[in-house]
Amino acid sequence: MTKLEKIIAGIYLCLEMGLFFLIKWAEEKQPFFIYGKIEYFAILLNFLFLAFFYLRRKEEGKILLGLTVTLLADYFLTLRGSHFALGVLCFFAVQLIYGWKIGYNRWNVFLRVALFAGFLLLIHFLGMSWFFAIPCSLSICALLGNVICSFQLAHNNKDGILNWIFAVGLLLFAGCDISLGLGLVTQGVEGLTHFHQLANWMVWIFYVPSQVLIAFTGVLENVGYKFHNFTLG
C-alpha cells in the first residue's frame, strides 16, 4: 500500500466510524428521511473506497460488483424505504456474487437449496405472505450458505487472512439480516415490544462493520493479498 493509499484508508475508517455513531444517534432523534440518507451515505462511501483501489490496481472486481448491487439494494430499502421485495432480491444477487467469489461445488449448492426450503417454510409459518417469503428465503439462505462456506475456507486455508476477514464480514452481514427479520416478525406482537426495538436497533450495529470488512477484503486483494476459494465444479 502506498502512502496515499494508507492515508485514504485511514480517512475512510475515521469517516465510517463517525457515520456509525451518527447513524445510531439519528435513528433515535431524527425521522427516517434524514437518517436513511446518512445510512445510505455510509454504504456509498464503502463502495467509493473500494472503487478507488480497484481503479488504481484493477486486480479483483467481484467484491466491487457485490458492493455495486448492495448500493442498488439499499437505494430501495434504505434511501427510499420502499420496494421491499425488489430490494431483498438485489441482496440475493449480492450473495450470489459473493458465492461466486467463494466458489460453488455440489455440496455448497445443496446446502443453499436445503436452507432455502427450510427458511421458506419457517417464514411462511410465521405469517408472511408468499410474496415476501420467497425473496426473504432466497436472500437469507444464500447468505447463510456463504457464511458456512467462507468459514470452511478460512479453516482450510490458515494462511489466507483474507478468508477470515471476509468470513467475519459475512457473519456480521447475517447478524444484520437476522436482526431485520426478527424486527419484522415481532412488529406489533404483544409482549415483544422491547425485543422488537432491540432487533431493529441491532441492524446497523452489524451492517456497517460487515460492509467495512467486506470492502477491506477487496482492497487487500487489490494490493496483493491472496484470497483462496473452492474449485468450481
Side-chain angles (χ1 to χ4, degrees), residues 117-153:
F119 270 89
L120 187 62
L121 290 173
L122 175 62
I123 292 175
H124 180 67
F125 285 138
L126 288 174
M128 295 182 68
S129 70
W130 288 106
F131 178 75
F132 289 110
I134 291 175
C136 287
S137 298
L138 285 171
S139 180
I140 192 64
C141 78
L143 174 53
L144 290 178
N146 285 343
V147 170
I148 294 169
C149 294
S150 64
F151 272 97
Q152 181 185 356
L153 275 177

Side-chain angles (χ1 to χ4, degrees), residues 80-108:
R80 293 189 57 180
S82 61
H83 298 85
F84 179 83
L86 186 56
V88 172
L89 284 174
C90 286
F91 273 122
F92 171 58
V94 171
Q95 297 311 320
L96 289 181
I97 293 167
Y98 292 157
W100 173 33
K101 177 167 189 59
I102 293 167
Y104 290 110
N105 57 31
R106 291 180 182 178
W107 177 82
N108 62 47

Side-chain angles (χ1 to χ4, degrees), residues 6 26 30-31 38 51 53 56 63 67 71 75 86 98 117 128 147 151 172 175 186 199-201 209 229-230:
K6 290 178 180 178
Q30 301 296 325
I38 300 172
F53 279 85
R56 286 173 64 88
I63 290 181
L67 294 183
L71 268 181
Y75 170 76
L86 186 56
Y98 292 157
M128 295 182 68
V147 170
F151 272 97
L172 293 173
T186 57
N200 285 339
W201 188 77
N229 60 5
F230 289 115

Side-chain angles (χ1 to χ4, degrees), residues 1 4-6 8-9 48-59 218-219 222-223:
M1 221 183 249
L4 173 63
E5 290 170 342
K6 290 178 180 178
I8 295 294
L48 292 174
F49 174 61
L50 178 53
F52 169 77
F53 279 85
Y54 176 74
L55 291 174
R56 286 173 64 88
R57 306 295 184 105
K58 294 184 179 178
E59 293 293 333
V219 166
N222 274 281
V223 299

